[in-house]
Amino acid sequence: MKNLTLSVAFLLCSFVVFAQEEKKEPAYTDDDALFIREIYDQALTKGNAYDWLDYMTNNIGGRLAGSPQAAAAVEYTRQMMDTMGMEVTLQPCIVPHWVRGDKEQARVVNSKSMGTVELSILALGNSVGTDDFGLTAPVIEVKSLQEVMDLGIDGIKGKIVFYNRPMDATQIKTFHAYGGAVDQRVHGAAVAANYGAVGAIVRSMTLRTDDIPHTGSTIYNRLNKGVEPIPAVAISTMDADLLSKIIEKDKEVDLYFRTNCQMLKPEESYNVIGEIKGSEFPDEIILVGGHLDSWDVGTGAHDDGAGCVHAMDVYNVLKQLNYKPKRTIRVVMFMNEENGLAGALEYTKVSNQKKEYHLAAIESDRGGFSPRGFTMEAENEIFSVKSKKVIEWLPLLRPYGLELSKGGSGADISRLKSQKGLMLGLAPDSQRYFDYHHTPIDVWDAVNKRELQLGVAAMASMVYLIDKYGL
Amino acid sequence: MKNLTLSVAFLLCSFVVFAQEEKKEPAYTDDDALFIREIYDQALTKGNAYDWLDYMTNNIGGRLAGSPQAAAAVEYTRQMMDTMGMEVTLQPCIVPHWVRGDKEQARVVNSKSMGTVELSILALGNSVGTDDFGLTAPVIEVKSLQEVMDLGIDGIKGKIVFYNRPMDATQIKTFHAYGGAVDQRVHGAAVAANYGAVGAIVRSMTLRTDDIPHTGSTIYNRLNKGVEPIPAVAISTMDADLLSKIIEKDKEVDLYFRTNCQMLKPEESYNVIGEIKGSEFPDEIILVGGHLDSWDVGTGAHDDGAGCVHAMDVYNVLKQLNYKPKRTIRVVMFMNEENGLAGALEYTKVSNQKKEYHLAAIESDRGGFSPRGFTMEAENEIFSVKSKKVIEWLPLLRPYGLELSKGGSGADISRLKSQKGLMLGLAPDSQRYFDYHHTPIDVWDAVNKRELQLGVAAMASMVYLIDKYGL
């Protein structure tokens, strides 16, 4: 709390100090305010984001890396950017190809108090499956990775470990609550396997209490040498609460689950990169992007169809307003953010090899909700220099409800900060994000048209200012 | 736009100036930041707002003034406030009792290009109905009240006037867009009747294009002497667009509609007033409120069930934290905001008669969405004095995403400003409000639990600061 207050005070003071220092050379003009107003008018009345998202979700569907739908999304966004007159490149990358297989099943087996109880689960992404007959074992509830380590082999061996630490509802920004709980999903299975567990079941990453399990990746990179990966699933929060109560009452409870997921051989896929060369500073790149892949359940509307159409519409809106960029604008659809980051890693590698300079990058990967500003990051020693001008622009952004804060930008772009530019993340209102995240209900209907359009306008305004003034 | 920028700059400058002037007596302490953090923790984990809203919407339902459901809501909120230990009064007021009757019907009759076309409509509140056989007449499309006046009797007589000016999608705050279009719904029928129209059909007040008509009140107070009121209905935006196209193509189009609504005799109803006397300044009242009545379609979840449970939970949360107010806290559920304001008028009249002083009043009547701050109003000459301290508190509020601006407070409380206090309106994010406003889909499911809870916390924090420091 205090840190937050201080950071706000810092921004305010910075603004005042800058304003005093540079009275003779204002950070912006009245024309900028008018042009930003035009950007908003355009995005709210003539933008394409909502229609593009309709196509990507309702016509293409879920776009897990390696799937035919991911390939369709590559082709669709390539065509859209080509139609807008961008120079479009498909940048190859090798992605994992995980498939969910048959619908998952799980039940409490012969609870003394409740008999057989069916549970709502989803296999975690990249997880190994059970065998065809499924897996039955005693279940043990824990609240943390540390608790598993403390229980050791004696407590864990032969069991299904049930990670049940909820997200912290008192966090104002739900991403902080997510960050405080998601280690269970990402590392829970690997850590439990090290102590002889035969399966892992993880409370869904959401602040709601409902019957919808949330998938997401689990990774096995904490497995000790020689230890085999174990199957891992997410359980809905309602069923997590129920299972916890059954365990409390019955003490010894056997759980059955069956998953049919598997990792197939890697596939070639692509980042889709659209570019318009800058007229004055072509070597200074301003990137806007999102990730094209999504989970297979639902249709990846907020995560991250919204971010993809945000990024494409940023260029579309500026083009409709006949804006000619001085710097190079690059619209990037990253592949495989969800379960491997293959696209982002390849993009950064190639960019570094070419000694490119990303003056700025803006990622939208927090949903299509009403925008509340941007987070900013840069390498430590240059953050204050790089963020200075952006903070000076606050009076242009605040009328649209936008604020600035220091914080992570986005998984696909944050590595680019080694090129010494400023990385920004669009920060929409986060309250509803984890209602939909990685679920069958992350679909078209969950996105509000105006909220989506306002995200486009916020990003386009930032691109315009960075392009016009540099950093 | 410029005004907005300037007002933000004004707030910033004010803040800085105040901070410099009063260095020796800070506007708040670290303890305040900690207590506000406790308020948020409590509201997000132990608040009752969401459960109360569940009852008011799913068990009671739509609560139009004069209806049995409105009486149930009076009794329910009386009980809840009584349970919390407040001194509860039912303040009588006489409310209109309008009933919708049979489901409305409307169709284009024998369009040359499309034949018979069914249209989605809802009678406007307080409207007279058609007779049992309905009404058939040629339809004329207009965009404003002025256009009707310009067309005059020759152009309007014997026709159904179709008001079809959309809300302005380029407004960032959707209430501004609503304010720019709603004269058609409120006064359209009366103005058209003055020129001999036989009916009025009004484009629904929403920025969405969908098949859901939005009701809301029409008033006949602009009728010329001797002119009879005419039936008035709202049409969904999709059907408004369709009807407009048919008119454009066919030129002469007859419309049929039938409504069965009527105004019954007035009924006695009540404002529900819960009070806790202040320990030090009992004569300084801090009011928090919303309105208990809603439209009959839907269950009034955002409008204004959310505001009612916000207000009740403000006191609940402070009580749970064992906070003892120095000033008198009054939680008021106003009756009949939607179609007459009888409750607000009675409350103000009685309060003025008793020479009460409302130091501050906060109304929540803009939905249960993620809060973005407060609007503030006061009598002109005292606004800057009264808002000064509140602006100084901004550093305590900004970490929770709250900003301040000058603007209307709420229909139920704004008349109280004659008592020389400060009137505030909770300002949630407005983008989705008019998706639901006055429709069958303004129901429980449209409200997000956390967004609702954050509204409670924002209001409770403001009440706490005003109670502790005065204004």
Side-chain angles (χ1 to χ4, degrees):
Chain A
M1 218 316 284
K2 273 191 189 167
N3 285 341
L4 283 172
T5 314
L6 285 176
S7 73
V8 169
F10 159 76
L11 286 176
L12 278 173
C13 295
S14 309
F15 166 71
V16 174
V17 172
F18 296 155
Q20 286 171 347
E21 274 175 4
E22 303 186 11
K23 260 183 188 156
K24 280 164 201 166
E25 197 190 332
Y28 55 86
T29 69
D30 282 356
D31 285 349
D32 297 325
L34 294 172
F35 193 73
I36 289 172
R37 183 64 256 189
E38 283 187 56
I39 288 173
Y40 272 82
D41 288 353
Q42 195 72 16
L44 284 165
T45 58
K46 306 269 171 57
N48 277 341
Y50 197 60
D51 290 341
W52 285 332
L53 186 64
D54 183 10
Y55 194 94
M56 279 179 59
T57 54
N58 294 326
N59 291 44
I60 295 176
R63 303 171 297 280
L64 191 56
S67 70
Q69 289 87 348
V74 165
E75 178 57 13
Y76 179 65
T77 53
R78 187 195 68 74
Q79 289 181 14
M80 291 303 107
M81 290 202 267
D82 183 60
T83 303
M84 286 195 283
M86 306 195 91
E87 187 175 318
V88 190
T89 317
L90 297 189
Q91 181 176 54
C93 55
I94 302 300
V95 300
H97 186 199
W98 180 82
V99 291
R100 185 171 300 279
D102 302 341
K103 181 162 170 41
E104 300 86 342
Q105 295 174 40
R107 65 185 73 96
V108 174
V109 183
N110 294 329
S111 150
K112 276 170 266 169
S113 53
M114 294 190 61
T116 301
V117 182
E118 299 291 328
L119 302 172
S120 288
I121 65 161
L122 275 177
L124 292 182
N126 293 0
S127 170
V128 297
T130 65
D131 69 23
D132 282 352
F133 298 99
L135 173 70
T136 305
V139 61
I140 180 168
E141 179 177 348
V142 299
K143 292 293 169 61
S144 65
L145 305 181
Q146 187 60 49
E147 196 178 339
V148 171
M149 294 186 259
D150 293 345
L151 285 163
I153 290 181
D154 289 350
I156 297 297
K157 191 168 183 184
K159 292 183 180 157
I160 294 171
V161 175
F162 168 36
Y163 288 97
N164 194 29
R165 182 172 85 258
M167 280 168 58
D168 175 5
T170 68
Q171 296 288 341
I172 307 303
K173 294 182 178 171
T174 60
F175 284 90
H176 296 169
Y178 178 68
V182 74
D183 63 328
Q184 301 171 97
R185 192 198 74 210
V186 176
H187 301 298
V191 168
N194 288 339
Y195 297 91
V198 294
I201 182 164
V202 184
R203 182 186 182 89
S204 283
M205 296 295 135
T206 179
L207 288 156
R208 280 177 66 96
T209 301
D210 62 22
D211 202 29
I212 301 165
H214 293 232
T215 190
S217 67
T218 197
I219 58 180
Y220 293 119
N221 65 359
R222 291 202 189 172
L223 280 181
N224 290 337
K225 202 174 168 185
V227 175
E228 289 293 312
I230 59 174
V233 300
I235 180 171
S236 75
T237 49
M238 265 172 67
D239 282 349
D241 290 342
L242 178 62
L243 180 56
S244 181
K245 278 179 193 152
I246 294 174
I247 292 169
E248 192 183 347
K249 192 154 188 186
D250 292 359
K251 309 300 176 207
E252 293 188 5
V253 179
D254 283 352
L255 204 69
Y256 165 85
F257 73 83
R258 177 179 183 277
T259 59
N260 185 231
C261 46
Q262 56 180 316
M263 191 64 87
L264 306 178
K265 73 177 175 55
E267 297 286 350
E268 187 171 69
S269 185
Y270 306 93
N271 295 321
V272 186
I273 305 171
E275 183 175 287
I276 293 289
K277 273 266 181 285
S279 59
E280 285 186 43
F281 310 103
D283 293 340
E284 296 191 7
I285 299 163
I286 302 171
L287 181 157
V288 284
H291 65 83
L292 207 46
D293 64 305
S294 76
W295 285 102
D296 54 327
V297 296
T299 57
H302 280 293
D303 187 12
D304 186 26
C308 292
V309 300
H310 273 157
M312 291 200 299
D313 215 16
V314 164
Y315 178 69
N316 179 47
V317 161
L318 291 173
K319 181 181 150 78
Q320 286 175 349
L321 293 172
N322 208 25
Y323 183 76
K324 308 287 183 211
K326 295 200 279 190
R327 294 170 164 86
T328 292
I329 309 267
R330 224 181 246 179
V331 177
V332 183
M333 312 280 104
F334 292 98
M335 181 50 69
N336 182 225
E337 189 272 348
E338 292 295 0
N339 60 334
L341 281 171
L345 294 169
E346 183 65 18
Y347 181 89
T348 307
K349 191 182 80 181
V350 171
S351 178
N352 288 340
Q353 282 168 350
K354 290 185 179 170
K355 300 196 186 307
E356 287 181 344
Y357 172 50
H358 283 75
L359 169 69
I362 311 176
E363 181 158 5
S364 165
D365 185 19
R366 294 165 186 156
F369 305 97
S370 195
R372 303 197 68 155
F374 296 91
T375 49
M376 304 187 287
E377 63 172 332
E379 295 213 324
N380 270 338
E381 64 279 14
I382 58 168
F383 178 76
S384 60
V385 178
K386 285 294 172 191
S387 61
K388 181 180 152 174
K389 269 206 183 145
V390 181
I391 293 167
E392 288 180 286
W393 296 326
L394 259 177
L396 293 171
L397 305 173
R398 283 214 165 118
Y400 302 96
L402 304 175
E403 295 289 330
L404 299 168
S405 61
K406 194 171 178 174
S409 54
D412 294 298
I413 63 170
S414 73
R415 284 169 188 79
L416 288 171
K417 72 181 171 206
S418 65
Q419 295 179 4
K420 311 285 184 192
L422 185 70
M423 306 291 114
L424 299 97
L426 180 70
D429 194 288
S430 72
Q431 301 309 321
R432 287 175 287 142
Y433 188 70
F434 292 98
D435 296 0
Y436 303 110
H437 187 242
H438 298 179
T439 71
I441 63 167
D442 183 10
V443 294
W444 166 250
D445 282 346
V447 178
N448 176 278
K449 184 177 180 179
R450 283 179 61 84
E451 295 192 346
L452 184 75
Q453 290 168 330
L454 288 169
V456 172
M459 290 171 72
S461 300
M462 185 60 79
V463 167
Y464 159 76
L465 289 167
I466 296 173
D467 181 61
K468 179 166 173 185
Y469 293 108
L471 289 175
Chain B
M1 216 321 281
K2 272 192 188 166
N3 286 339
L4 283 173
T5 315
L6 285 175
S7 74
V8 169
F10 159 77
L11 287 176
L12 280 173
C13 295
S14 309
F15 166 71
V16 173
V17 172
F18 297 153
Q20 286 171 346
E21 273 175 3
E22 304 185 11
K23 260 182 188 158
K24 280 164 199 167
E25 197 189 332
Y28 54 87
T29 69
D30 280 356
D31 285 349
D32 297 325
L34 294 173
F35 193 73
I36 288 173
R37 181 64 256 189
E38 283 187 57
I39 288 173
Y40 271 83
D41 288 353
Q42 195 73 16
L44 284 165
T45 57
K46 304 271 171 56
N48 277 341
Y50 196 61
D51 290 341
W52 285 332
L53 187 64
D54 183 10
Y55 194 94
M56 279 179 58
T57 54
N58 294 325
N59 292 45
I60 295 176
R63 304 171 297 280
L64 191 56
S67 70
Q69 290 86 348
V74 166
E75 179 57 14
Y76 178 66
T77 53
R78 187 195 69 74
Q79 290 181 14
M80 292 304 106
M81 290 202 266
D82 183 62
T83 304
M84 285 194 284
M86 307 195 92
E87 187 177 317
V88 190
T89 318
L90 298 189
Q91 181 176 54
C93 56
I94 303 299
V95 300
H97 186 200
W98 180 83
V99 291
R100 183 172 301 279
D102 301 342
K103 180 161 170 43
E104 301 86 342
Q105 296 175 40
R107 66 186 71 97
V108 173
V109 183
N110 294 328
S111 150
K112 276 169 266 171
S113 53
M114 294 190 61
T116 302
V117 182
E118 299 291 328
L119 302 172
S120 288
I121 65 160
L122 276 177
L124 292 181
N126 293 359
S127 171
V128 298
T130 65
D131 68 22
D132 281 353
F133 297 99
L135 173 70
T136 305
V139 61
I140 180 168
E141 178 177 350
V142 299
K143 293 291 169 62
S144 65
L145 305 181
Q146 187 60 49
E147 195 177 339
V148 170
M149 294 185 259
D150 293 345
L151 285 163
I153 290 182
D154 289 351
I156 298 296
K157 191 168 183 184
K159 292 183 180 158
I160 294 169
V161 175
F162 167 36
Y163 289 96
N164 194 29
R165 183 171 85 257
M167 280 168 59
D168 175 5
T170 69
Q171 296 288 341
I172 306 304
K173 295 182 177 172
T174 60
F175 284 90
H176 296 169
Y178 179 68
V182 75
D183 62 329
Q184 302 171 95
R185 192 198 75 210
V186 176
H187 301 298
V191 168
N194 289 338
Y195 297 91
V198 295
I201 183 163
V202 184
R203 183 186 182 90
S204 284
M205 295 295 134
T206 179
L207 288 155
R208 279 178 66 97
T209 300
D210 62 22
D211 202 29
I212 302 166
H214 293 231
T215 189
S217 67
T218 196
I219 59 178
Y220 293 119
N221 64 358
R222 291 202 189 173
L223 279 181
N224 291 338
K225 203 175 164 184
V227 175
E228 290 293 312
I230 59 173
V233 298
I235 180 171
S236 74
T237 48
M238 264 172 68
D239 282 350
D241 290 342
L242 178 62
L243 179 57
S244 181
K245 276 180 194 153
I246 293 174
I247 292 170
E248 191 184 347
K249 191 153 189 187
D250 291 1
K251 310 299 176 204
E252 292 187 6
V253 179
D254 282 352
L255 204 69
Y256 165 85
F257 72 83
R258 178 179 183 277
T259 59
N260 184 231
C261 47
Q262 55 179 316
M263 190 64 84
L264 306 177
K265 73 177 173 59
E267 297 285 350
E268 187 170 68
S269 186
Y270 305 93
N271 296 321
V272 186
I273 305 172
E275 184 175 286
I276 293 289
K277 272 267 180 288
S279 58
E280 285 185 44
F281 311 104
D283 294 341
E284 296 191 6
I285 299 163
I286 302 171
L287 181 157
V288 284
H291 65 83
L292 207 45
D293 64 305
S294 75
W295 285 103
D296 54 328
V297 295
T299 58
H302 280 293
D303 187 13
D304 185 27
C308 292
V309 301
H310 272 157
M312 292 200 298
D313 215 17
V314 164
Y315 178 69
N316 179 48
V317 162
L318 291 173
K319 181 181 149 78
Q320 286 174 349
L321 293 172
N322 208 24
Y323 182 76
K324 307 289 182 208
K326 296 200 278 188
R327 294 170 165 86
T328 292
I329 308 269
R330 225 181 245 178
V331 177
V332 183
M333 312 279 104
F334 291 98
M335 181 50 69
N336 182 224
E337 189 272 347
E338 291 295 359
N339 60 334
L341 281 171
L345 294 169
E346 182 65 17
Y347 182 89
T348 307
K349 191 182 80 179
V350 172
S351 179
N352 288 340
Q353 282 168 351
K354 290 183 178 172
K355 299 198 184 307
E356 288 180 345
Y357 172 49
H358 284 76
L359 169 68
I362 311 177
E363 181 158 4
S364 165
D365 186 19
R366 294 166 186 155
F369 304 96
S370 195
R372 304 198 69 156
F374 297 90
T375 50
M376 303 188 288
E377 62 171 333
E379 294 213 326
N380 270 339
E381 64 279 15
I382 57 168
F383 178 76
S384 61
V385 178
K386 286 295 173 190
S387 61
K388 181 179 154 176
K389 268 206 183 144
V390 182
I391 293 167
E392 288 180 285
W393 295 327
L394 260 177
L396 293 171
L397 305 173
R398 283 214 165 118
Y400 301 96
L402 304 175
E403 295 289 330
L404 300 168
S405 61
K406 195 170 177 174
S409 54
D412 294 298
I413 62 169
S414 73
R415 284 169 188 79
L416 288 170
K417 73 181 169 205
S418 65
Q419 296 179 3
K420 312 285 185 192
L422 185 69
M423 307 291 113
L424 299 96
L426 180 70
D429 194 289
S430 72
Q431 299 311 321
R432 287 174 287 142
Y433 188 69
F434 292 98
D435 297 359
Y436 303 110
H437 186 241
H438 300 178
T439 70
I441 62 168
D442 183 9
V443 295
W444 165 252
D445 282 346
V447 179
N448 176 279
K449 184 176 180 179
R450 283 178 61 83
E451 294 192 347
L452 184 75
Q453 290 168 330
L454 288 169
V456 172
M459 290 172 71
S461 300
M462 184 60 78
V463 167
Y464 160 76
L465 289 167
I466 295 172
D467 181 61
K468 180 168 174 185
Y469 293 108
L471 289 176

